[in-house]
Coordinates of all heavy atoms in Angstrom, one line a residue:
M12 N 3.3 12.3 16.5 CA 2.6 11.7 15.4 C 3.3 12.2 14.1 O 3.4 13.4 13.9 CB 1.1 12.1 15.4 CG 0.3 11.4 14.4 SD -1.5 11.8 14.6 CE -2.1 10.9 13.2
P13 N 3.7 11.3 13.2 CA 4.4 11.7 12.0 C 3.3 12.4 11.0 O 2.2 12.1 11.1 CB 4.9 10.4 11.4 CG 4.0 9.3 12.0 CD 3.6 9.8 13.3
V14 N 3.9 13.2 10.2 CA 3.0 13.9 9.2 C 2.5 12.9 8.2 O 3.4 12.1 7.7 CB 3.7 15.1 8.5 CG1 2.8 15.7 7.5 CG2 4.2 16.1 9.6
R15 N 1.3 12.8 8.0 CA 0.7 11.9 7.0 C 0.1 12.8 5.9 O -0.5 13.8 6.2 CB -0.3 11.0 7.6 CG 0.1 10.3 8.8 CD 1.0 9.1 8.5 NE 0.4 8.2 7.6 CZ -0.4 7.3 7.9 NH1 -0.7 7.1 9.2 NH2 -0.9 6.5 7.0
S16 N 0.1 12.3 4.7 CA -0.6 13.0 3.7 C -1.7 12.1 3.1 O -1.4 10.9 2.9 CB 0.3 13.6 2.6 OG 1.1 12.5 2.1
I17 N -2.8 12.7 2.7 CA -3.9 11.9 2.2 C -4.7 12.8 1.3 O -4.9 14.0 1.6 CB -4.7 11.3 3.4 CG1 -5.6 10.2 2.9 CG2 -5.4 12.3 4.1 CD1 -6.0 9.3 4.0
T18 N -5.2 12.2 0.2 CA -6.0 12.9 -0.7 C -7.5 12.6 -0.3 O -7.9 11.5 -0.3 CB -5.7 12.5 -2.2 OG1 -4.4 12.8 -2.4 CG2 -6.6 13.3 -3.1
C19 N -8.2 13.7 -0.1 CA -9.6 13.5 0.2 C -10.4 12.9 -0.9 O -10.4 13.3 -2.0 CB -10.3 14.9 0.5 SG -12.0 14.8 0.8
P20 N -11.1 11.7 -0.6 CA -11.8 11.1 -1.7 C -13.1 11.8 -2.1 O -13.6 11.6 -3.2 CB -12.2 9.7 -1.0 CG -12.2 10.0 0.4 CD -11.2 11.1 0.7
A21 N -13.6 12.7 -1.3 CA -14.8 13.4 -1.6 C -14.5 14.6 -2.5 O -15.2 14.8 -3.5 CB -15.5 13.9 -0.3
C22 N -13.5 15.4 -2.2 CA -13.3 16.7 -3.0 C -12.0 16.7 -3.7 O -11.7 17.6 -4.5 CB -13.5 17.9 -2.1 SG -12.1 18.1 -0.9
G23 N -11.1 15.7 -3.4 CA -9.8 15.7 -4.1 C -8.7 16.6 -3.5 O -7.6 16.6 -4.0
K24 N -9.0 17.3 -2.4 CA -8.0 18.1 -1.8 C -6.9 17.3 -1.2 O -7.1 16.3 -0.5 CB -8.6 19.0 -0.7 CG -7.5 19.9 -0.1 CD -8.1 21.0 0.8 CE -7.0 21.7 1.6 NZ -5.9 22.2 0.8
F25 N -5.6 17.7 -1.4 CA -4.5 17.0 -0.8 C -4.3 17.6 0.6 O -4.1 18.8 0.8 CB -3.3 17.3 -1.6 CG -2.0 16.5 -1.2 CD1 -1.9 15.2 -1.4 CD2 -1.1 17.2 -0.5 CE1 -0.8 14.5 -1.0 CE2 0.1 16.5 0.0 CZ 0.2 15.2 -0.3
N26 N -4.5 16.7 1.6 CA -4.4 17.2 3.0 C -3.1 16.7 3.7 O -2.8 15.5 3.5 CB -5.6 16.7 3.8 CG -6.9 17.3 3.5 OD1 -7.2 18.4 4.1 ND2 -7.6 16.8 2.6
E27 N -2.5 17.5 4.4 CA -1.4 17.0 5.3 C -1.9 16.9 6.7 O -2.4 17.9 7.2 CB -0.2 17.9 5.2 CG 0.5 17.8 3.9 CD 2.0 18.2 3.9 OE1 2.4 18.9 4.8 OE2 2.7 17.7 3.0
I28 N -1.9 15.7 7.3 CA -2.5 15.5 8.6 C -1.3 15.5 9.6 O -0.4 14.7 9.5 CB -3.1 14.1 8.6 CG1 -4.0 13.9 7.4 CG2 -3.8 13.9 10.0 CD1 -5.4 14.2 7.6
E29 N -1.3 16.5 10.5 CA -0.2 16.5 11.4 C -0.7 16.7 12.9 O 0.0 16.9 13.8 CB 0.7 17.7 11.1 CG 0.1 19.0 10.7 CD 1.0 19.9 10.1 OE1 2.1 20.1 10.7 OE2 0.8 20.4 9.0
D30 N -2.0 16.6 13.1 CA -2.5 16.6 14.4 C -3.7 15.7 14.6 O -3.9 14.8 13.7 CB -3.0 18.1 14.8 CG -3.8 18.7 13.7 OD1 -4.6 17.9 13.0 OD2 -3.7 19.9 13.4
A31 N -4.5 15.8 15.6 CA -5.6 14.9 15.8 C -6.8 15.2 14.9 O -7.8 14.5 14.9 CB -6.0 14.9 17.3
N32 N -6.7 16.3 14.2 CA -7.8 16.7 13.3 C -7.8 15.9 12.0 O -7.0 16.2 11.1 CB -7.7 18.2 13.0 CG -8.8 18.6 12.1 OD1 -9.8 17.9 11.9 ND2 -8.6 19.7 11.4
L33 N -8.6 14.8 11.9 CA -8.5 13.9 10.8 C -9.6 14.2 9.8 O -10.2 13.3 9.2 CB -8.6 12.5 11.3 CG -7.4 12.0 12.1 CD1 -7.6 10.6 12.6 CD2 -6.1 12.1 11.4
A34 N -9.9 15.5 9.7 CA -11.0 15.9 8.7 C -10.4 16.7 7.6 O -9.4 17.4 7.7 CB -12.1 16.7 9.4
C35 N -11.0 16.6 6.4 CA -10.5 17.3 5.2 C -10.6 18.8 5.5 O -11.7 19.3 6.0 CB -11.3 16.9 4.0 SG -10.9 18.0 2.6
R36 N -9.6 19.6 5.2 CA -9.6 21.0 5.5 C -10.6 21.7 4.6 O -11.0 22.8 4.9 CB -8.2 21.6 5.3 CG -7.3 21.0 6.3 CD -6.2 21.9 6.8 NE -5.5 21.2 7.9 CZ -4.4 20.5 7.8 NH1 -3.8 20.3 6.6 NH2 -3.9 19.9 8.8
R37 N -10.9 21.2 3.4 CA -11.8 21.9 2.5 C -13.3 21.5 2.8 O -14.1 22.4 2.9 CB -11.5 21.6 1.1 CG -12.4 22.4 0.1 CD -12.2 21.9 -1.3 NE -10.9 22.3 -1.9 CZ -10.3 21.7 -3.0 NH1 -10.8 20.6 -3.5 NH2 -9.2 22.2 -3.4
C38 N -13.6 20.2 2.9 CA -15.0 19.8 2.9 C -15.4 19.1 4.2 O -16.5 18.7 4.4 CB -15.3 18.9 1.7 SG -14.6 17.3 1.8
S39 N -14.4 18.9 5.1 CA -14.6 18.3 6.4 C -15.0 16.8 6.4 O -15.5 16.3 7.4 CB -15.8 19.1 7.2 OG -15.4 20.4 7.3
T40 N -14.8 16.2 5.3 CA -15.0 14.7 5.3 C -14.0 14.1 6.3 O -12.9 14.5 6.4 CB -14.7 14.2 3.9 OG1 -15.7 14.6 3.0 CG2 -14.7 12.6 3.9
D41 N -14.6 13.1 7.0 CA -13.7 12.4 8.0 C -12.7 11.5 7.3 O -13.2 10.6 6.6 CB -14.6 11.6 8.9 CG -13.9 10.9 10.0 OD1 -12.6 11.2 10.2 OD2 -14.4 10.1 10.8
L42 N -11.5 11.7 7.5 CA -10.5 10.9 6.8 C -9.9 9.8 7.6 O -9.1 9.0 7.1 CB -9.3 11.8 6.3 CG -9.7 13.0 5.4 CD1 -8.5 13.9 5.2 CD2 -10.3 12.5 4.1
E43 N -10.4 9.6 8.8 CA -9.8 8.6 9.7 C -10.0 7.2 9.1 O -9.0 6.4 9.2 CB -10.5 8.7 11.1 CG -9.7 7.8 12.0 CD -10.2 8.0 13.5 OE1 -11.2 8.8 13.7 OE2 -9.5 7.4 14.4
P44 N -11.1 6.8 8.6 CA -11.2 5.5 8.0 C -10.2 5.2 7.0 O -9.6 4.1 6.9 CB -12.6 5.4 7.4 CG -13.4 6.5 8.1 CD -12.4 7.6 8.4
L45 N -9.8 6.2 6.2 CA -8.8 6.0 5.2 C -7.4 5.7 5.8 O -6.7 4.9 5.3 CB -8.7 7.2 4.2 CG -9.8 7.3 3.2 CD1 -9.7 8.6 2.4 CD2 -9.7 6.1 2.2
L46 N -7.2 6.5 6.8 CA -5.9 6.4 7.5 C -5.8 5.0 8.1 O -4.7 4.4 8.2 CB -5.7 7.5 8.6 CG -5.4 8.8 8.0 CD1 -5.5 9.9 9.1 CD2 -4.0 8.9 7.3
S47 N -6.9 4.5 8.7 CA -6.9 3.2 9.3 C -6.6 2.1 8.2 O -5.9 1.2 8.5 CB -8.2 2.9 10.0 OG -8.6 3.9 10.8
L48 N -7.2 2.2 7.1 CA -7.0 1.3 6.0 C -5.5 1.3 5.6 O -4.9 0.2 5.4 CB -7.8 1.7 4.8 CG -9.2 1.2 4.6 CD1 -9.8 1.6 3.3 CD2 -9.2 -0.3 4.7
D49 N -5.0 2.5 5.6 CA -3.6 2.7 5.2 C -2.7 2.0 6.2 O -1.8 1.3 5.9 CB -3.3 4.2 5.3 CG -2.4 4.6 4.3 OD1 -2.4 4.1 3.2 OD2 -1.6 5.5 4.6
A50 N -3.1 2.1 7.5 CA -2.3 1.5 8.6 C -2.4 0.0 8.5 O -1.4 -0.8 8.7 CB -2.7 2.0 9.9
A51 N -3.6 -0.5 8.2 CA -3.8 -2.0 8.1 C -3.0 -2.5 7.0 O -2.4 -3.6 7.0 CB -5.3 -2.3 7.9
A52 N -3.0 -1.8 5.8 CA -2.3 -2.2 4.6 C -0.8 -2.3 4.9 O -0.1 -3.2 4.5 CB -2.6 -1.3 3.5
A53 N -0.3 -1.3 5.7 CA 1.1 -1.2 6.0 C 1.5 -2.4 6.9 O 2.6 -3.0 6.7 CB 1.4 0.1 6.7
G54 N 0.6 -2.8 7.8 CA 0.9 -3.9 8.7 C 1.0 -5.2 7.8 O 1.9 -6.0 8.0
L55 N 0.0 -5.4 6.9 CA 0.1 -6.6 6.1 C 1.3 -6.6 5.2 O 1.9 -7.7 5.0 CB -1.2 -6.6 5.1 CG -2.5 -7.0 5.8 CD1 -3.7 -6.7 4.9 CD2 -2.5 -8.5 6.2
R56 N 1.7 -5.4 4.7 CA 2.9 -5.4 3.9 C 4.1 -5.7 4.6 O 5.0 -6.4 4.1 CB 3.0 -3.9 3.3 CG 4.2 -3.8 2.3 CD 4.3 -2.4 1.8 NE 4.8 -1.5 2.8 CZ 4.3 -0.4 3.3 NH1 3.1 0.0 2.9 NH2 4.9 0.3 4.2
L57 N 4.2 -5.3 5.9 CA 5.4 -5.7 6.7 C 5.4 -7.2 7.0 O 6.5 -7.8 6.9 CB 5.3 -4.9 8.1 CG 5.6 -3.4 8.0 CD1 5.4 -2.7 9.3 CD2 7.1 -3.2 7.5
L58 N 4.2 -7.8 7.2 CA 4.2 -9.2 7.4 C 4.6 -9.9 6.1 O 5.4 -10.9 6.1 CB 2.8 -9.7 7.7 CG 2.3 -9.4 9.1 CD1 0.8 -9.8 9.3 CD2 3.1 -10.2 10.1
G59 N 4.2 -9.3 5.0 CA 4.7 -9.9 3.7 C 6.2 -9.8 3.5 O 6.8 -10.8 3.0
A60 N 6.7 -8.7 3.9 CA 8.2 -8.5 3.7 C 8.9 -9.5 4.6 O 9.9 -10.1 4.3 CB 8.6 -7.1 4.1
R61 N 8.3 -9.8 5.8 CA 8.9 -10.7 6.7 C 8.9 -12.1 6.1 O 9.8 -12.9 6.2 CB 8.2 -10.7 8.1 CG 9.0 -11.4 9.2 CD 8.4 -11.2 10.5 NE 7.1 -11.9 10.6 CZ 6.4 -11.9 11.7 NH1 6.7 -11.2 12.7 NH2 5.2 -12.6 11.7
A62 N 7.7 -12.5 5.5 CA 7.6 -13.8 4.9 C 8.6 -13.9 3.8 O 9.2 -15.0 3.6 CB 6.1 -13.9 4.4
L63 N 8.9 -12.8 3.1 CA 9.9 -12.9 2.0 C 11.3 -13.3 2.6 O 11.9 -14.1 2.1 CB 10.0 -11.5 1.4 CG 9.3 -11.2 0.1 CD1 9.7 -9.9 -0.4 CD2 9.5 -12.3 -1.0
R64 N 11.6 -12.6 3.7 CA 12.9 -12.9 4.3 C 13.0 -14.3 4.8 O 14.1 -14.9 4.9 CB 13.1 -11.9 5.5 CG 13.5 -10.5 5.0 CD 14.1 -9.7 6.1 NE 13.2 -9.5 7.2 CZ 12.3 -8.5 7.3 NH1 12.2 -7.6 6.3 NH2 11.5 -8.4 8.3
Q65 N 11.8 -14.9 5.2 CA 11.8 -16.2 5.7 C 11.6 -17.3 4.6 O 11.2 -18.4 4.8 CB 10.6 -16.4 6.7 CG 10.9 -15.6 8.0 CD 9.7 -15.5 8.9 OE1 8.6 -15.8 8.5 NE2 10.0 -15.1 10.1
Q66 N 11.8 -16.8 3.3 CA 11.8 -17.7 2.2 C 10.4 -18.3 2.0 O 10.2 -19.5 1.6 CB 12.8 -18.8 2.3 CG 14.1 -18.4 2.8 CD 14.9 -17.7 1.7 OE1 14.8 -18.0 0.5 NE2 15.8 -16.8 2.1
Q67 N 9.4 -17.5 2.2 CA 8.0 -18.0 2.0 C 7.3 -17.0 1.0 O 6.4 -16.2 1.4 CB 7.2 -18.0 3.3 CG 7.8 -19.0 4.3 CD 7.2 -18.9 5.7 OE1 6.9 -17.8 6.2 NE2 6.9 -20.0 6.3
P68 N 7.7 -17.1 -0.2 CA 7.2 -16.1 -1.2 C 5.6 -16.3 -1.4 O 5.0 -15.2 -1.7 CB 8.0 -16.4 -2.5 CG 8.5 -17.8 -2.3 CD 8.7 -18.0 -0.8
E69 N 5.1 -17.5 -1.3 CA 3.7 -17.6 -1.6 C 2.9 -16.8 -0.5 O 1.9 -16.1 -0.8 CB 3.2 -19.1 -1.5 CG 3.7 -19.9 -2.6 CD 5.1 -20.6 -2.3 OE1 5.7 -20.3 -1.3 OE2 5.6 -21.4 -3.2
E70 N 3.4 -17.0 0.7 CA 2.7 -16.3 1.9 C 2.9 -14.7 1.6 O 2.0 -14.0 1.8 CB 3.5 -16.7 3.2 CG 3.0 -15.9 4.4 CD 1.8 -16.5 5.0 OE1 1.3 -17.5 4.5 OE2 1.3 -15.9 6.0
A71 N 4.1 -14.3 1.2 CA 4.4 -12.9 1.0 C 3.5 -12.4 -0.1 O 2.9 -11.3 0.0 CB 5.8 -12.7 0.6
L72 N 3.2 -13.1 -1.1 CA 2.4 -12.7 -2.3 C 1.0 -12.5 -1.8 O 0.3 -11.6 -2.1 CB 2.5 -13.7 -3.4 CG 2.0 -13.3 -4.8 CD1 2.7 -12.0 -5.2 CD2 2.3 -14.4 -5.8
A73 N 0.5 -13.5 -1.0 CA -0.9 -13.4 -0.5 C -1.1 -12.2 0.4 O -2.1 -11.4 0.2 CB -1.2 -14.7 0.3
L74 N -0.1 -11.9 1.2 CA -0.2 -10.7 2.1 C -0.1 -9.5 1.3 O -0.9 -8.5 1.6 CB 0.9 -10.8 3.2 CG 0.7 -11.9 4.3 CD1 2.0 -12.2 5.0 CD2 -0.3 -11.4 5.2
A75 N 0.7 -9.4 0.4 CA 0.9 -8.2 -0.4 C -0.4 -7.9 -1.2 O -0.9 -6.8 -1.3 CB 2.1 -8.3 -1.4
G76 N -1.0 -9.0 -1.7 CA -2.3 -8.9 -2.4 C -3.4 -8.3 -1.5 O -4.2 -7.5 -1.9
Q77 N -3.4 -8.8 -0.2 CA -4.4 -8.2 0.7 C -4.1 -6.8 1.0 O -5.0 -5.9 1.1 CB -4.4 -9.0 2.0 CG -4.9 -10.4 1.9 CD -4.7 -11.2 3.2 OE1 -4.7 -10.6 4.3 NE2 -4.5 -12.5 3.0
A78 N -2.9 -6.5 1.2 CA -2.5 -5.1 1.5 C -2.9 -4.2 0.3 O -3.4 -3.1 0.5 CB -1.0 -5.0 1.7
W79 N -2.6 -4.6 -0.9 CA -2.9 -3.8 -2.1 C -4.5 -3.6 -2.1 O -4.9 -2.5 -2.5 CB -2.5 -4.6 -3.3 CG -2.7 -3.8 -4.6 CD1 -3.8 -3.9 -5.4 CD2 -1.8 -2.9 -5.2 NE1 -3.6 -3.0 -6.4 CE2 -2.4 -2.4 -6.4 CE3 -0.5 -2.4 -4.8 CZ2 -1.8 -1.5 -7.2 CZ3 0.1 -1.5 -5.7 CH2 -0.6 -1.0 -6.8
G80 N -5.2 -4.6 -1.8 CA -6.7 -4.5 -1.8 C -7.2 -3.4 -0.9 O -8.2 -2.7 -1.1
L81 N -6.5 -3.2 0.3 CA -6.9 -2.2 1.2 C -6.4 -0.8 0.8 O -7.2 0.1 0.9 CB -6.3 -2.5 2.6 CG -6.8 -3.8 3.3 CD1 -6.1 -3.9 4.7 CD2 -8.3 -3.6 3.6
S82 N -5.2 -0.8 0.4 CA -4.6 0.5 0.1 C -3.4 0.4 -0.8 O -2.3 0.0 -0.3 CB -4.3 1.3 1.4 OG -3.6 2.5 1.1
P83 N -3.5 0.5 -2.1 CA -2.4 0.3 -3.0 C -1.2 1.2 -2.7 O -1.4 2.4 -2.4 CB -2.9 0.6 -4.4 CG -4.4 0.5 -4.2 CD -4.7 0.9 -2.8
S84 N 0.0 0.7 -2.8 CA 1.2 1.6 -2.6 C 2.4 1.0 -3.3 O 2.4 -0.2 -3.7 CB 1.5 1.7 -1.1 OG 2.1 0.5 -0.6
R85 N 3.3 1.8 -3.6 CA 4.6 1.4 -4.3 C 5.2 0.3 -3.5 O 5.7 -0.7 -4.1 CB 5.5 2.6 -4.5 CG 5.1 3.6 -5.4 CD 6.1 4.8 -5.5 NE 7.4 4.2 -5.8 CZ 7.8 4.0 -7.1 NH1 7.0 4.3 -8.1 NH2 9.0 3.5 -7.3
A86 N 5.4 0.5 -2.2 CA 6.1 -0.5 -1.3 C 5.4 -1.8 -1.4 O 6.1 -2.9 -1.5 CB 6.2 0.0 0.1
T87 N 4.1 -1.9 -1.4 CA 3.4 -3.1 -1.5 C 3.6 -3.8 -2.8 O 3.9 -5.0 -2.9 CB 1.9 -2.9 -1.3 OG1 1.7 -2.4 0.0 CG2 1.1 -4.2 -1.5
A88 N 3.6 -3.0 -3.9 CA 3.8 -3.6 -5.2 C 5.3 -4.2 -5.3 O 5.5 -5.2 -5.9 CB 3.6 -2.5 -6.3
Q89 N 6.2 -3.5 -4.6 CA 7.6 -4.0 -4.6 C 7.7 -5.3 -3.9 O 8.5 -6.2 -4.4 CB 8.5 -2.9 -4.1 CG 8.7 -1.8 -5.1 CD 9.2 -0.5 -4.5 OE1 9.3 -0.3 -3.3 NE2 9.5 0.5 -5.3
V90 N 7.0 -5.4 -2.8 CA 7.0 -6.7 -2.1 C 6.4 -7.8 -3.0 O 7.0 -8.9 -3.1 CB 6.2 -6.6 -0.7 CG1 6.0 -8.0 -0.1 CG2 7.0 -5.7 0.3
A91 N 5.3 -7.5 -3.6 CA 4.7 -8.4 -4.5 C 5.6 -8.8 -5.6 O 5.6 -10.0 -6.1 CB 3.3 -7.9 -5.0
I92 N 6.3 -7.9 -6.2 CA 7.2 -8.2 -7.3 C 8.3 -9.2 -6.9 O 8.5 -10.2 -7.5 CB 7.8 -6.9 -7.9 CG1 6.7 -6.2 -8.7 CG2 9.0 -7.2 -8.7 CD1 7.1 -4.8 -9.1
L93 N 8.9 -8.9 -5.7 CA 9.9 -9.8 -5.2 C 9.3 -11.2 -4.9 O 9.9 -12.2 -5.2 CB 10.5 -9.2 -3.9 CG 11.4 -8.0 -4.1 CD1 11.8 -7.4 -2.8 CD2 12.7 -8.4 -4.9
A94 N 8.1 -11.2 -4.4 CA 7.5 -12.5 -4.0 C 7.1 -13.3 -5.3 O 7.3 -14.5 -5.4 CB 6.2 -12.2 -3.2
S95 N 6.7 -12.5 -6.3 CA 6.4 -13.2 -7.6 C 7.6 -13.9 -8.2 O 7.6 -15.0 -8.7 CB 5.9 -12.2 -8.6 OG 4.7 -11.6 -8.2
V96 N 8.7 -13.2 -8.1 CA 10.0 -13.8 -8.6 C 10.3 -15.0 -7.8 O 10.7 -16.1 -8.3 CB 11.2 -12.8 -8.4 CG1 12.5 -13.4 -8.7 CG2 10.9 -11.6 -9.4
G97 N 10.1 -14.9 -6.4 CA 10.4 -16.1 -5.6 C 9.5 -17.3 -5.9 O 9.9 -18.4 -5.8
C98 N 8.2 -17.0 -6.3 CA 7.3 -18.0 -6.7 C 7.5 -18.5 -8.2 O 6.8 -19.4 -8.6 CB 5.9 -17.5 -6.6 SG 5.3 -17.2 -4.9
R99 N 8.4 -17.8 -8.9 CA 8.5 -18.0 -10.3 C 7.2 -17.8 -11.0 O 6.8 -18.6 -11.9 CB 9.1 -19.4 -10.6 CG 10.4 -19.6 -9.9 CD 11.3 -20.7 -10.5 NE 12.4 -21.0 -9.7 CZ 13.5 -20.2 -9.6 NH1 13.5 -19.1 -10.2 NH2 14.5 -20.6 -8.8
D100 N 6.4 -16.9 -10.5 CA 5.1 -16.6 -11.1 C 5.3 -15.4 -12.1 O 5.1 -14.2 -11.7 CB 4.2 -16.2 -10.0 CG 2.8 -15.8 -10.5 OD1 2.6 -15.7 -11.7 OD2 1.9 -15.5 -9.6
W101 N 5.7 -15.7 -13.3 CA 6.0 -14.7 -14.3 C 4.8 -13.8 -14.7 O 5.0 -12.6 -15.0 CB 6.8 -15.2 -15.4 CG 7.9 -16.1 -15.0 CD1 8.2 -17.4 -15.4 CD2 9.0 -15.8 -14.1 NE1 9.3 -17.9 -14.7 CE2 9.8 -16.9 -14.0 CE3 9.3 -14.6 -13.4 CZ2 11.0 -17.0 -13.1 CZ3 10.5 -14.7 -12.5 CH2 11.3 -15.8 -12.4
E102 N 3.7 -14.5 -14.8 CA 2.5 -13.7 -15.2 C 2.1 -12.7 -14.1 O 1.8 -11.6 -14.3 CB 1.3 -14.7 -15.4 CG 1.0 -14.9 -16.8 CD -0.2 -15.9 -17.0 OE1 -1.2 -15.7 -16.4 OE2 0.1 -16.9 -17.7
G103 N 2.2 -13.2 -12.8 CA 2.0 -12.4 -11.7 C 3.0 -11.2 -11.6 O 2.6 -10.1 -11.3
L104 N 4.2 -11.5 -12.0 CA 5.2 -10.5 -12.0 C 4.9 -9.4 -13.0 O 5.0 -8.2 -12.7 CB 6.6 -11.1 -12.4 CG 7.8 -10.2 -12.5 CD1 8.1 -9.5 -11.2 CD2 9.0 -10.9 -13.0
M105 N 4.5 -9.8 -14.2 CA 4.1 -8.8 -15.2 C 2.9 -7.9 -14.7 O 2.9 -6.7 -14.8 CB 3.6 -9.5 -16.5 CG 4.7 -10.2 -17.2 SD 5.9 -9.0 -17.9 CE 4.8 -8.2 -19.1
C106 N 2.0 -8.6 -14.0 CA 0.8 -7.9 -13.5 C 1.2 -6.9 -12.5 O 0.7 -5.7 -12.5 CB -0.2 -9.0 -13.0 SG -1.6 -8.3 -12.2
W107 N 2.1 -7.3 -11.5 CA 2.5 -6.4 -10.5 C 3.3 -5.2 -11.0 O 3.2 -4.1 -10.5 CB 3.2 -7.1 -9.4 CG 2.2 -7.8 -8.4 CD1 2.0 -9.2 -8.4 CD2 1.4 -7.2 -7.5 NE1 1.1 -9.4 -7.4 CE2 0.7 -8.2 -6.8 CE3 1.2 -5.9 -7.1 CZ2 -0.3 -8.0 -5.8 CZ3 0.2 -5.7 -6.1 CH2 -0.5 -6.7 -5.5
R108 N 4.1 -5.5 -12.0 CA 4.9 -4.5 -12.6 C 4.0 -3.4 -13.3 O 4.3 -2.2 -13.2 CB 5.9 -5.0 -13.6 CG 7.0 -5.8 -13.0 CD 8.1 -6.2 -13.9 NE 8.7 -5.1 -14.6 CZ 9.9 -5.1 -15.1 NH1 10.6 -6.2 -15.1 NH2 10.3 -4.0 -15.7
Q109 N 2.9 -3.9 -13.9 CA 2.0 -3.0 -14.5 C 1.3 -2.1 -13.4 O 1.1 -0.9 -13.6 CB 1.0 -3.7 -15.3 CG 1.5 -4.1 -16.7 CD 0.7 -5.1 -17.4 OE1 -0.4 -5.4 -17.0 NE2 1.2 -5.7 -18.5
R110 N 0.9 -2.8 -12.3 CA 0.3 -2.1 -11.2 C 1.2 -1.0 -10.7 O 0.8 0.1 -10.4 CB -0.1 -3.0 -10.1 CG -1.3 -3.9 -10.4 CD -1.5 -4.9 -9.3 NE -2.8 -5.6 -9.6 CZ -3.2 -6.6 -8.8 NH1 -2.5 -7.0 -7.7 NH2 -4.3 -7.2 -9.1
L111 N 2.5 -1.3 -10.5 CA 3.5 -0.4 -10.0 C 3.6 0.8 -11.0 O 3.6 1.9 -10.5 CB 4.8 -1.1 -9.8 CG 5.9 -0.2 -9.2 CD1 5.6 0.4 -7.9 CD2 7.2 -1.0 -9.1
A112 N 3.7 0.5 -12.2 CA 3.9 1.5 -13.3 C 2.6 2.4 -13.3 O 2.8 3.7 -13.3 CB 4.1 0.9 -14.6
A113 N 1.4 1.9 -13.1 CA 0.2 2.6 -13.1 C 0.2 3.6 -11.9 O -0.2 4.8 -12.0 CB -1.0 1.8 -13.1
L114 N 0.7 3.1 -10.8 CA 0.7 3.9 -9.6 C 1.7 5.0 -9.7 O 1.5 6.1 -9.3 CB 1.1 3.0 -8.4 CG 0.6 3.5 -7.0 CD1 -0.9 3.5 -6.9 CD2 1.1 2.5 -6.0
S115 N 2.9 4.7 -10.3 CA 3.9 5.7 -10.4 C 3.5 6.8 -11.4 O 3.8 7.9 -11.2 CB 5.2 5.0 -11.0 OG 5.6 4.0 -10.1
G116 N 2.7 6.4 -12.4 CA 2.3 7.4 -13.3 C 1.1 8.3 -12.8 O 0.9 9.4 -13.4
A117 N 0.5 7.8 -11.7 CA -0.7 8.6 -11.3 C -0.3 9.8 -10.5 O 0.8 10.0 -10.1 CB -1.5 7.7 -10.3
Ligands
LIG21 ZN1 -12.5 17.1 1.1

């Protein structure tokens, strides 16, 4: 199992998850639901990236939006940015660039 890192939503501790113990080391909050969300978002993002390669930017944008709703990430924003360009959706492009910048600054 690859090492995953996740910030506990309850106490803010940064946890590195490297075994089957999916609880926060400080407060014991169960982090598994967050990891599942993360995995679901990654799946949607991969589908979005595939849609991009298949010249279906509208589909890619919709998938990236869903992935972002589950668990925002730089990679998802990057898919959405490429998809926005593909759709010639300049307002959406600005919006996604701001989201990416906000995430990078966090
Ligand atoms: Zn915690």
Side-chain angles (χ1 to χ4, degrees):
M12 186 175 174
V14 177
R15 309 284 304 278
S16 55
I17 193 161
T18 302
C19 174
C22 73
K24 177 169 173 53
F25 184 78
N26 288 274
E27 289 205 338
I28 310 265
E29 44 192 310
D30 48 34
N32 177 20
L33 297 178
C35 174
R36 297 212 168 95
R37 183 190 285 159
C38 71
S39 303
T40 292
D41 183 9
L42 301 175
E43 186 170 11
L45 282 176
L46 286 171
S47 309
L48 270 184
D49 216 36
L55 287 168
R56 186 181 72 236
L57 288 175
L58 285 175
R61 193 174 69 182
L63 263 185
R64 285 195 299 273
Q65 293 171 345
Q66 318 284 328
Q67 296 173 317
E69 292 89 356
E70 175 83 3
L72 196 52
L74 287 162
Q77 287 173 33
W79 184 269
L81 291 179
S82 176
S84 72
R85 289 179 57 83
T87 294
Q89 284 159 355
V90 168
I92 284 170
L93 289 172
S95 298
V96 171
C98 293
R99 305 198 187 290
D100 176 359
W101 309 125
E102 256 177 54
L104 177 63
M105 290 294 293
C106 176
W107 280 109
R108 288 185 60 155
Q109 281 167 9
R110 285 174 174 177
L111 180 60
L114 202 62
S115 302

